[in-house]
Protein backbone atom coordinates (compact mmCIF):
# COMPACT_ATOMS: atom_id res chain seq x y z
CA UNK A 1 0.00 0.00 0.00
CA UNK A 2 2.85 2.34 0.87
CA UNK A 3 4.36 1.65 -2.58
CA UNK A 4 1.15 2.84 -4.32
CA UNK A 5 1.20 6.13 -2.36
CA UNK A 6 4.81 6.70 -3.37
CA UNK A 7 3.91 6.09 -7.02
CA UNK A 8 0.91 8.41 -6.75
CA UNK A 9 2.99 11.13 -5.10
CA UNK A 10 5.72 10.75 -7.75
CA UNK A 11 3.14 11.05 -10.56
CA UNK A 12 1.62 14.13 -8.92
CA UNK A 13 5.00 15.87 -8.55
CA UNK A 14 5.95 14.98 -12.15
CA UNK A 15 2.59 16.29 -13.38
CA UNK A 16 3.08 19.61 -11.57
CA UNK A 17 6.59 19.92 -12.98
CA UNK A 18 5.46 19.27 -16.55
CA UNK A 19 2.50 21.64 -16.22
CA UNK A 20 4.93 24.43 -15.35
CA UNK A 21 7.01 23.96 -18.52
CA UNK A 22 6.45 26.45 -21.29
CA UNK A 23 6.76 25.37 -24.92
CA UNK A 24 9.87 26.66 -26.68
CA UNK A 25 9.29 29.48 -29.14
CA UNK A 26 9.75 28.20 -32.67
CA UNK A 27 9.89 31.58 -34.37
CA UNK A 28 13.30 32.66 -35.59
CA UNK A 29 14.70 36.05 -34.70
CA UNK A 30 17.00 35.96 -37.73
CA UNK A 31 16.38 38.29 -40.62
CA UNK A 32 17.99 37.92 -44.02
CA UNK A 33 20.23 40.38 -45.80
CA UNK A 34 18.66 43.30 -47.64
CA UNK A 35 21.79 44.05 -49.59
CA UNK A 36 25.48 44.79 -49.80
CA UNK A 37 26.72 48.36 -50.10
CA UNK A 38 30.06 49.95 -50.96
CA UNK A 39 31.50 53.28 -49.90
CA UNK A 40 30.78 56.03 -52.42
CA UNK A 41 34.06 57.86 -52.00
CA UNK A 42 36.94 57.71 -54.48
CA UNK A 43 38.59 54.32 -54.57
CA UNK A 44 42.09 54.42 -53.10
CA UNK A 45 43.87 51.16 -53.97
CA UNK A 46 46.09 51.21 -50.89
CA UNK A 47 42.97 51.33 -48.68
CA UNK A 48 41.01 48.63 -50.52
CA UNK A 49 37.23 48.61 -50.94
CA UNK A 50 34.92 48.45 -47.93
CA UNK A 51 31.69 46.43 -48.23
CA UNK A 52 28.80 46.40 -45.76
CA UNK A 53 26.11 43.75 -45.33
CA UNK A 54 22.92 45.65 -44.52
CA UNK A 55 19.46 44.84 -43.25
CA UNK A 56 20.30 41.62 -41.44
CA UNK A 57 19.47 40.71 -37.87
CA UNK A 58 21.34 37.82 -36.33
CA UNK A 59 21.04 37.36 -32.57
CA UNK A 60 24.15 36.79 -30.54
CA UNK A 61 26.37 39.08 -32.59
CA UNK A 62 29.19 39.47 -33.29
CA UNK A 63 29.13 36.55 -35.67
CA UNK A 64 31.67 35.53 -38.24
CA UNK A 65 30.66 36.38 -41.79
CA UNK A 66 32.00 34.62 -44.88
CA UNK A 67 32.36 36.86 -47.89
CA UNK A 68 32.57 35.18 -51.30
CA UNK A 69 34.30 37.44 -53.82
CA UNK A 70 34.41 36.63 -57.55
CA UNK A 71 36.75 39.02 -59.41
CA UNK A 72 35.90 39.26 -63.12
CA UNK A 73 38.15 39.90 -66.10
CA UNK A 74 35.57 41.88 -68.04
CA UNK A 75 32.29 43.72 -67.51
CA UNK A 76 30.15 41.62 -69.83
CA UNK A 77 30.00 38.21 -68.22
CA UNK A 78 29.79 37.34 -64.55
CA UNK A 79 31.35 33.98 -63.77
CA UNK A 80 30.79 32.71 -60.23
CA UNK A 81 32.62 29.44 -60.74
CA UNK A 82 34.40 28.14 -57.67
CA UNK A 83 37.81 28.43 -59.30
CA UNK A 84 37.45 32.21 -59.30
CA UNK A 85 36.15 32.35 -55.75
CA UNK A 86 38.04 34.17 -53.00
CA UNK A 87 36.69 33.68 -49.48
CA UNK A 88 37.30 36.32 -46.84
CA UNK A 89 36.24 36.08 -43.20
CA UNK A 90 35.15 39.02 -41.09
CA UNK A 91 32.15 40.80 -39.65
CA UNK A 92 29.25 42.50 -41.43
CA UNK A 93 31.81 44.97 -42.79
CA UNK A 94 34.91 43.92 -44.67
CA UNK A 95 37.63 45.53 -46.77
CA UNK A 96 38.66 43.81 -49.98
CA UNK A 97 42.36 44.35 -50.66
CA UNK A 98 43.35 45.87 -53.98
CA UNK A 99 45.33 42.73 -54.78
CA UNK A 100 41.97 41.02 -55.50
CA UNK A 101 40.48 43.93 -57.47
CA UNK A 102 43.51 45.38 -59.27
CA UNK A 103 42.86 43.71 -62.65
CA UNK A 104 39.11 43.39 -62.28
CA UNK A 105 36.71 46.02 -63.58
CA UNK A 106 33.83 44.01 -62.07
CA UNK A 107 33.31 41.62 -59.18
CA UNK A 108 30.43 39.60 -57.81
CA UNK A 109 29.94 39.07 -54.09
CA UNK A 110 27.69 37.35 -51.59
CA UNK A 111 27.86 37.13 -47.80
CA UNK A 112 26.90 34.29 -45.49
CA UNK A 113 26.64 33.79 -41.74
CA UNK A 114 25.06 31.29 -39.39
CA UNK A 115 21.82 31.63 -37.53
CA UNK A 116 19.90 29.49 -35.06
CA UNK A 117 18.35 27.41 -37.84
CA UNK A 118 21.39 27.10 -40.09
CA UNK A 119 22.94 29.26 -42.77
CA UNK A 120 21.77 32.75 -43.71
CA UNK A 121 23.07 34.18 -46.97
CA UNK A 122 22.57 37.10 -49.30
CA UNK A 123 21.93 36.93 -52.99
CA UNK A 124 24.77 37.73 -55.39
CA UNK A 125 25.54 41.37 -56.10
CA UNK A 126 27.83 42.75 -58.80
CA UNK A 127 29.86 45.93 -58.56
CA UNK A 128 31.57 47.69 -61.45
CA UNK A 129 34.40 50.22 -61.43
CA UNK A 130 33.46 53.58 -62.96
CA UNK A 131 35.06 57.00 -63.21
CA UNK A 132 33.11 59.84 -61.63
CA UNK A 133 32.15 62.28 -64.42
CA UNK A 134 34.49 65.24 -64.81
CA UNK A 135 37.13 63.75 -62.48
CA UNK A 136 39.76 61.04 -62.36
CA UNK A 137 38.05 59.59 -59.29
CA UNK A 138 37.37 55.84 -59.59
CA UNK A 139 34.30 54.59 -57.73
CA UNK A 140 32.60 51.21 -57.40
CA UNK A 141 28.86 51.11 -58.09
CA UNK A 142 26.35 48.32 -58.03
CA UNK A 143 25.73 46.89 -61.47
CA UNK A 144 22.05 46.53 -62.24
CA UNK A 145 21.01 43.52 -64.27
Amino acid sequence: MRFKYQQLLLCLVAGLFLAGCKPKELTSTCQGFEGITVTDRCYVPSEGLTLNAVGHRVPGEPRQFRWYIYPQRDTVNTNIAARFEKVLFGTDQITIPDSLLRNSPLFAVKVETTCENGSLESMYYSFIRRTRPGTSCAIWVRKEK
Side-chain angles (χ1 to χ4, degrees):
M1 186 93 154
R2 182 175 180 188
F3 183 69
K4 287 185 181 181
Y5 287 123
Q6 287 176 341
Q7 285 180 331
L8 182 61
L9 183 59
L10 182 61
C11 287
L12 183 62
V13 170
L16 289 173
F17 175 74
L18 291 176
C21 292
K22 295 180 180 174
K24 186 177 180 180
E25 287 279 330
L26 294 179
T27 57
S28 175
T29 55
C30 296
Q31 176 180 320
F33 298 95
E34 290 177 7
I36 296 174
T37 61
V38 296
T39 56
D40 62 349
R41 61 186 175 84
C42 292
Y43 177 65
V44 179
S46 62
E47 295 175 10
L49 179 67
T50 301
L51 302 176
N52 294 290
V54 294
H56 66 282
R57 185 177 69 231
V58 181
E61 291 197 38
R63 298 244 184 204
Q64 185 177 55
F65 287 70
R66 286 174 300 286
W67 293 83
Y68 299 90
I69 313 295
Y70 301 87
Q72 305 297 305
R73 295 175 192 249
D74 62 51
T75 59
V76 179
N77 300 309
T78 302
N79 186 344
I80 54 173
R83 64 189 169 109
F84 297 115
E85 176 183 86
K86 306 295 183 204
V87 181
L88 303 176
F89 294 91
T91 63
D92 58 353
Q93 181 181 68
I94 196 161
T95 300
I96 304 174
D98 185 61
S99 60
L100 292 181
L101 301 176
R102 182 174 302 131
N103 298 318
S104 303
L106 173 82
F107 70 93
V109 60
K110 82 170 184 171
V111 63
E112 177 183 80
T113 191
T114 55
C115 199
E116 9 178 89
N117 299 337
S119 181
L120 186 66
E121 61 186 55
S122 73
M123 44 187 250
Y124 287 93
Y125 293 91
S126 293
F127 292 91
I128 190 167
R129 188 186 329 225
R130 296 281 187 224
T131 302
R132 189 170 279 154
T135 70
S136 60
C137 172
I139 57 173
W140 288 92
V141 295
R142 185 168 159 203
K143 181 181 176 186
E144 303 298 326
K145 291 185 179 187

